[in-house]
Amino acid sequence: ELELALADSDRLRLAAEQASVAKSEFLSRMSHELRTPLTAILGFAQLLEMDTTVAPMQAEQIGHIHRAGQHLLKLIDEVLDLGKVESGNIVVSVESVAVGPLMRECLEITVPLAEARGIAVDADAPGLDGLSVSADRTRLRQVLLNLLSNAVKYNRDGGSIRIEGAQAGQRVRVTVSDTGIGMPADRMDELFQPFSRLGADLTEVKGSGIGLAISRKLVEAMQGTISAESTHGEGSAFTVDLPLDETV
């Protein structure tokens, strides 16, 4: 009976691995096939936007086409990234990364988006100064930008965002918290699953539900962890925990 159980377990594991590979291949091929015609659509939309003879109403409609195309292109890129991460084809290049300067670089991109909605950003984060982690700088930047953009996107007008950093033993913790819509407690286990938006798909907030899934895989590839706490209707806090670089 034990041998049969082990054999069944091996078959189930093999089937799961094959299904995962098939899914990754499908996502990759589908994304490449969609990208080709979409590139043409965006190209012609840009040409039409440059046409000064187009009537104002038509120019507005062309603008809608262009923005929708860019949103779709971003989604396709995220699906491609997800496929690479899940198939193990993504490589991280670990180096010493100063967290403070990298965070300020990410804030330069996201603060204007927050200010446009009256969202205050507490970006002092004195705990980050002088701290360095062992990480892939490009991928860590991608993770931090995802957390900051989510903190803006799912926040309320006039809300706030707080960034904190601290050393905890041989680790460095960076937390991004917001005063947004929060998430239901009974659905928190879905948070890092691909394409799960926890009800946000019923709102006007655009998104794919892929960013956090990719962020988790990237952080884990850098020997770190990412976690979340949330109170529905009050806000959320995401914490990235990475190895401290002691060579600095």
Side-chain angles (χ1 to χ4, degrees):
E1 290 181 355
L2 178 59
E3 289 178 354
L4 288 173
L6 289 173
D8 285 340
S9 176
D10 287 340
R11 281 196 293 270
L12 290 172
R13 178 181 55 78
L14 180 59
E17 290 175 353
Q18 291 174 337
S20 179
V21 170
K23 181 186 69 174
S24 297
E25 289 180 354
F26 169 75
L27 290 175
S28 179
R29 291 180 181 178
M30 179 195 69
S31 299
H32 282 297
E33 291 297 325
L34 288 173
R35 194 181 181 91
T36 301
L38 181 58
T39 301
I41 292 171
L42 287 171
F44 282 112
Q46 288 177 321
L47 289 174
L48 289 170
E49 284 183 322
M50 295 168 60
D51 189 348
T52 57
T53 65
V54 173
M57 183 177 292
Q58 291 175 316
E60 182 179 353
Q61 293 168 342
I62 293 167
H64 285 306
I65 293 172
H66 195 186
R67 285 190 294 274
Q70 288 177 320
H71 176 68
L72 183 55
L73 182 61
K74 181 181 178 182
L75 174 58
I76 291 171
D77 287 339
E78 288 179 341
V79 170
L80 275 171
D81 222 2
L82 178 64
K84 290 178 183 177
V85 169
E86 292 197 336
S87 64
N89 291 329
I90 198 160
V91 179
V92 294
S93 179
V94 175
E95 59 182 313
S96 177
V97 181
V99 185
L102 181 59
M103 177 61 80
R104 285 189 283 274
E105 181 182 322
C106 294
L107 285 169
E108 288 180 4
I109 299 172
T110 53
V111 165
L113 302 175
E115 291 177 342
R117 294 183 53 201
I119 298 172
V121 180
D122 181 358
D124 291 339
L128 294 179
D129 292 333
L131 290 179
S132 294
V133 294
S134 295
D136 183 311
R137 190 181 191 282
T138 300
R139 292 304 184 177
L140 180 55
R141 181 178 183 273
Q142 180 180 349
V143 171
L144 294 178
L145 279 174
N146 178 254
L147 296 183
L148 289 169
S149 63
N150 281 350
V152 174
K153 185 162 53 176
Y154 296 104
N155 214 323
R156 56 182 173 82
D157 291 346
S160 63
I161 296 171
R162 182 174 177 79
I163 299 158
E164 299 174 275
Q167 180 178 341
Q170 305 304 307
R171 314 286 289 182
V172 173
R173 292 174 181 164
V174 180
T175 300
V176 177
S177 55
D178 63 67
T179 57
I181 58 178
M183 292 163 280
D186 60 349
R187 298 193 64 185
M188 286 293 288
D189 58 343
E190 304 174 34
L191 185 58
F192 294 100
Q193 294 179 12
F195 305 107
S196 177
R197 298 195 62 210
L198 283 73
D201 50 323
L202 302 177
T203 69
E204 295 182 357
V205 180
K206 294 181 180 179
S208 62
I210 299 177
L212 285 177
I214 294 175
S215 293
R216 185 179 204 174
K217 293 288 187 180
L218 292 176
V219 171
E220 289 175 350
M222 294 184 284
Q223 306 304 310
T225 60
I226 182 170
S227 59
E229 296 179 356
S230 184
T231 301
H232 191 42
E234 295 184 16
S236 305
F238 288 83
T239 299
V240 174
D241 184 298
L242 288 167
L244 173 71
D245 179 40
E246 299 181 283
T247 63
V248 179

